[in-house]
């Protein structure tokens, strides 16, 4: 709590802004840390036009990004189309005390620090960035996926050397750009799980399961509809080998630990089962006291033995199919990346070069004691 001009206590309002393209658990972790620094979190999201001007085309549309960020459980308010450069005028407009950003420096198209004004006025704080994940990293993973993915008869993929250099070659010098590996910890899962409660007596418990790879607006709309079927929503996540078995190629793009954090950050989700069985068993339903098992309209393959994975809930008359009214899929996101490959590669390269310069400046600031990081 802060104090106003009359000495009365008031909530501390925190401002965070960004692109939040392909909103993932790294974004969610930054928002979680920012919320810890205050009481009310306002998130400004840049428009497609602003992002394209300063860093290249986003993967997801602004409407998709607005919806994804609004569903992250630590966010209290979303400001659509916020300016790319953070100003005191913007923060004052939304009555925010200070802004928070990660320790990866953001610059405009002409190389200027987008937070210079608020830094100079002492209304800027930093949180620790989540190592091993970024939108650039996700784009890199999907471009790497193209070397053995989809159309093998008509070679439309970038050369193997080219895609490998994108994330693992000698040009991937940046500490943040490229294909990296997230290292999960029990602490991180606990941080994302905080605030969760056990089901109360009489609660109607809903169970869904799947891969939830590259967590997107299609998943989000489905989970929102599933939550409306009851009071407590449990999401079962299939293991990486199981997802690879029924989706093939190089899926999943995100490993099970990453997918767990993405789903846990969603405000509609009550609990996550890590490594849930593909077939929904009576033992699972009894263990979690499941009242209804929900699945979307997308088709699902039989289990390895040819059996229906939803046979048990169907026999118990506890199975329901719902329509999310959203046709977004993980495959469609991958196709966006592939079809715009050259644009995204150019964006990644430009981002890498700017990050190298920013990292060098950050090292100088840390050496002089001008930089202070906070982590909640």
């Amino acid at each position: 709590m802060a104090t106003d001009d009359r000495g009365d206590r008031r909530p501390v309002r925190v401002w965070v802004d960004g692109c939040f393209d392909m909103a993932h658990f790294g974004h969610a972790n930054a928002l979680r840390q920012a919320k810890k620094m205050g009481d009310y979190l306002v998130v400004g999201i840049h428009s497609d036009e602003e992002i394209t001007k300063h860093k290249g085309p986003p993967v997801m549309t602004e409407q998709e990004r607005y919806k994804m960020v609004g569903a992250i459980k630590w966010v209290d308010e979303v400001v659509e189309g916020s300016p790319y450069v953070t100003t005191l005028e913007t923060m004052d407009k939304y009555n925010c005390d200070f802004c928070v950003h990660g320790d990866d420096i953001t610059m405009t198209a002409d190389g200027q620090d987008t937070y210079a004004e608020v830094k100079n006025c002492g209304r800027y704080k930093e949180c620790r960035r989540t190592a091993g994940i970024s939108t650039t990293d996700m784009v890199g993973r999907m471009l790497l996926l193209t070397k053995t993915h989809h159309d093998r008869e008509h070679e439309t993929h970038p050369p193997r050397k080219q895609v490998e250099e994108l994330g693992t070659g000698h040009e991937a010098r940046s500490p943040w750009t490229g294909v990296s590996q997230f290292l999960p910890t029990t602490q991180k899962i606990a941080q994302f799980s905080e605030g969760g409660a056990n089901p109360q007596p009489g609660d109607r418990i809903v169970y869904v399961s799947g891969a939830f790879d590259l967590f997107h607006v299609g998943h989000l709309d489905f989970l929102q509809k599933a939550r409306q079927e009851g009071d407590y929503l449990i999401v079962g996540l299939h293991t990486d080998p199981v997802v690879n078995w029924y989706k093939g190629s190089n899926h999943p793009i995100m490993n099970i630990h990453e997918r767990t954090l993405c789903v846990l950050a969603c405000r509609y989700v009550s609990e996550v089962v890590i490594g849930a069985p593909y077939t929904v068993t009576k033992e699972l339903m009894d263990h979690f006291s499941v009242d209804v098992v929900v699945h979307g309209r997308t088709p699902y393959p039989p289990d390895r033995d040819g059996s229906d994975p939803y046979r048990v809930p169907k026999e118990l008359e506890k199975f329901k199919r719902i329509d999310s009214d959203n046709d977004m899929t993980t495959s469609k996101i991958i196709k966006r990346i592939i079809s715009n490959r050259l644009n995204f590669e150019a964006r990644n390269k430009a981002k890498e070069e700017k990050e190298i310069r920013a990292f060098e400046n950050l090292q100088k600031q840390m050496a002089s004691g001008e930089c202070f990081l906070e982590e909640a």
Side-chain angles (χ1 to χ4, degrees):
M1 302 291 282
T3 304
D4 61 20
D5 294 338
R6 297 178 300 180
D8 297 330
R9 303 280 285 175
R10 63 171 180 80
V12 173
R13 293 172 63 91
V14 181
W15 173 269
V16 174
D17 57 22
C19 304
F20 299 97
D21 197 15
M22 294 179 63
H24 49 67
F25 67 90
H27 295 131
N29 191 40
L31 296 174
R32 179 192 67 81
Q33 293 180 70
K35 181 63 175 284
K36 283 279 191 181
M37 298 181 196
D39 305 295
Y40 189 89
L41 180 60
V42 182
V43 182
I45 305 174
H46 310 319
S47 67
D48 294 345
E49 182 180 2
E50 280 280 88
I51 296 172
T52 301
K53 174 185 176 182
H54 290 282
K55 62 185 297 185
V59 178
M60 312 305 290
T61 69
E62 57 193 39
Q63 294 301 323
E64 292 167 340
R65 292 182 288 110
Y66 299 156
K67 179 180 287 189
M68 287 295 293
V69 174
I72 293 175
K73 61 186 179 182
W74 297 287
V75 175
D76 297 299
E77 181 180 345
V78 167
V79 175
E80 299 180 359
S82 69
Y84 199 80
V85 175
T86 308
T87 64
L88 294 175
E89 180 182 2
T90 300
M91 290 177 57
D92 289 342
K93 179 179 178 180
Y94 295 97
N95 299 313
C96 291
D97 297 276
F98 55 85
C99 75
V100 176
H101 188 70
D103 49 353
D104 51 332
I105 307 302
T106 303
M107 293 182 290
T108 61
D110 57 1
Q112 300 302 308
D113 184 349
T114 59
Y115 293 97
E117 181 177 328
V118 292
K119 285 179 179 178
N120 292 336
C121 293
R123 292 174 65 180
Y124 175 85
K125 294 185 179 183
E126 285 188 352
C127 62
R128 291 195 180 277
R129 186 186 174 282
T130 305
I133 184 67
S134 70
T135 300
T136 306
D137 177 70
M138 300 312 301
V139 170
R141 294 189 198 186
M142 281 181 277
L143 288 174
L144 288 170
L145 183 66
T146 65
K147 62 185 178 183
T148 57
H149 192 56
H150 294 313
D151 189 1
R152 302 187 186 188
E153 182 178 353
H154 303 94
E155 183 61 41
T156 58
H157 312 321
R160 179 187 181 93
K161 183 175 184 294
Q162 184 178 358
V163 295
E164 287 181 343
E165 285 182 349
L166 173 71
T168 58
H170 69 280
E171 293 185 352
R173 298 179 301 272
S174 165
W176 297 309
T177 300
V179 177
S180 52
Q181 180 65 42
F182 170 67
L183 299 176
T185 64
T186 54
Q187 181 187 39
K188 190 61 64 187
I189 292 177
Q191 289 170 339
F192 272 57
S193 301
E194 67 178 351
N198 293 323
Q200 300 300 305
D203 278 355
R204 180 173 168 82
I205 298 176
V206 183
Y207 179 80
V208 302
S209 62
F212 294 94
D213 195 17
L214 290 179
F215 195 73
H216 53 68
V217 288
H219 296 136
L220 184 63
D221 285 343
F222 168 70
L223 292 176
Q224 184 178 20
K225 290 285 185 68
R227 179 60 180 263
Q228 293 171 359
E229 295 295 321
D231 308 292
Y232 193 90
L233 177 60
I234 301 175
V235 178
L237 288 179
H238 301 149
T239 64
D240 297 340
V242 168
V243 174
N244 184 258
W245 161 69
Y246 65 75
K247 291 186 73 72
S249 189
N250 286 340
H251 293 282
I253 293 170
M254 302 183 84
N255 66 45
I256 191 167
H257 305 293
E258 296 171 318
R259 292 183 283 122
T260 295
L261 295 182
C262 287
V263 174
L264 277 174
C266 177
R267 66 172 72 251
Y268 308 122
V269 176
S270 308
E271 179 64 285
V272 172
V273 179
I274 305 172
Y278 182 68
T279 290
V280 181
T281 63
K282 189 173 187 304
E283 289 75 17
L284 182 146
M285 294 184 66
D286 289 343
H287 180 80
F288 293 107
S289 302
V290 175
D291 293 291
V292 60
V293 175
V294 172
H295 188 74
R297 295 296 181 184
T298 56
Y300 56 85
D303 206 337
R304 296 174 193 264
D305 61 1
S307 63
D308 183 348
Y310 293 102
R311 178 184 62 82
V312 170
K314 287 178 179 178
E315 290 177 349
L316 296 173
E317 297 184 348
K318 293 185 175 183
F319 179 78
K320 184 175 182 178
R321 300 198 78 154
I322 61 175
D323 193 341
S324 68
D325 297 319
N326 190 320
D327 62 357
M328 176 59 72
T329 63
T330 300
S331 296
K332 286 188 176 182
I333 295 176
I334 294 172
K335 288 178 181 177
R336 285 189 190 182
I337 299 294
I338 295 174
S339 64
N340 291 284
R341 172 178 58 83
L342 295 179
N343 287 335
F344 289 126
E345 285 180 343
R347 185 189 76 170
N348 284 10
K349 184 173 179 61
K351 183 173 186 287
E352 177 187 284
E353 291 172 350
K354 288 200 297 184
E355 285 177 342
I356 291 173
R357 294 194 298 271
F359 183 63
E360 291 171 348
N361 291 334
L362 178 63
Q363 286 181 314
K364 293 177 182 177
Q365 292 175 10
M366 293 179 71
S368 63
E370 298 177 5
C371 182
F372 177 68
L373 304 181
E374 296 192 26
E375 179 167 17

